[in-house]
């Protein structure tokens, strides 16, 4: 009897670098509360980051192509979201998503994840978005909701 051949599951990660500015400021907090919660990141003039973004897709390796996903397709989706929509932008003022949300790294990761899904041919393969805000601060989002 022939064994059922299972496709191996693999994870593919691609990195990109973007520069954005923002100000951590909640519409739901007072000026004093914003200063206390966000400290220097609440500076009225904002501040910027050189983010490193890692996008990971997960899925079976196609026996015909040998790929989880065509890397060119992933690159093109990331180009649209990261470079075209976010790079060298004031994300609080230029991206509608952040008009009513604080542009924390958590929300940046969620935004990237959800936007990527709208640009991907196979959004079900999207596994994780990891945003390196600094060398010491990294945020990961896997599309999980409570």
């Amino acid at each position: 009897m022939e064994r059922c051949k299972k496709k191996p599951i693999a994870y593919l990660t691609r990195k990109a670098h973007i520069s954005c500015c923002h100000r951590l400021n909640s519409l739901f907090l007072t000026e004093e509360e914003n200063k206390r919660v966000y400290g220097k990141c609440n500076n009225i003039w904002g501040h910027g980051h050189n983010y490193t973004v890692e996008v990971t897709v997960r899925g079976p390796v196609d026996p015909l192509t040998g790929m989880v996903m065509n890397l060119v397709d992933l690159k093109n989706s990331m180009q649209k979201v990261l470079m075209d929509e976010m790079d060298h932008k004031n994300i609080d003022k230029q991206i509608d998503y952040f008009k009513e949300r604080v542009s924390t790294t958590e929300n940046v990761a969620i935004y990237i994840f959800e936007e990527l899904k709208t640009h991907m041919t196979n959004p079900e393969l999207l596994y994780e978005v990891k945003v390196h805000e600094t060398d010491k601060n990294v945020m990961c989002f896997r599309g999980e909701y409570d």
Side-chain angles (χ1 to χ4, degrees):
M1 189 164 136
E2 187 178 317
R3 282 187 166 179
C4 177
K5 290 191 176 187
K6 295 182 181 179
K7 294 180 185 176
I9 300 296
Y11 297 75
L12 169 66
T13 301
R14 183 169 174 86
K15 287 185 181 182
H17 302 279
I18 58 173
S19 297
C20 307
C21 71
H22 68 140
R23 176 186 184 210
L24 296 183
N25 189 69
S26 174
L27 300 174
F28 306 104
L29 299 176
T30 66
E31 187 177 332
E32 294 79 26
E33 289 171 320
N34 273 300
K35 286 179 184 175
R36 182 180 51 77
V37 171
Y38 301 118
K40 66 181 182 178
C41 295
N42 182 247
N43 178 348
I44 193 158
W45 303 111
H47 66 283
H49 296 282
N50 294 316
Y51 295 100
T52 298
V53 179
E54 296 179 35
V55 175
T56 301
V57 295
R58 174 197 179 277
V61 177
D62 185 309
L64 299 176
T65 65
M67 298 185 286
V68 173
M69 177 182 190
N70 188 316
L71 197 53
V72 172
D73 293 340
L74 181 57
K75 177 184 170 186
N76 290 340
S77 297
M78 289 174 68
Q79 172 72 33
K80 289 174 187 167
V81 175
L82 299 173
M83 306 312 289
D84 298 348
E85 294 179 22
M86 297 183 75
D87 191 41
H88 286 81
K89 302 276 175 56
N90 180 329
I91 60 175
D92 296 327
K93 298 183 185 306
Q94 294 179 270
I95 296 177
D96 288 340
Y97 183 88
F98 295 107
K99 299 231 170 150
E100 295 181 6
R101 287 177 188 82
V102 182
S103 53
T104 59
T105 310
E106 291 89 338
N107 282 332
V108 169
I110 294 165
Y111 171 77
I112 294 168
F113 189 96
E114 296 300 338
E115 277 299 300
L116 279 171
K117 286 189 345 187
T118 69
H119 293 284
M120 293 174 67
T121 308
N122 297 318
E124 69 280 357
L125 296 178
L126 184 58
Y127 175 72
E128 175 180 271
V129 168
K130 192 179 285 186
V131 179
H132 299 253
E133 180 184 54
T134 67
D135 291 340
K136 297 178 182 177
N137 300 333
V138 181
M139 176 50 57
C140 174
F141 182 67
R142 292 184 178 160
E144 300 167 335
Y145 289 87
D146 184 15

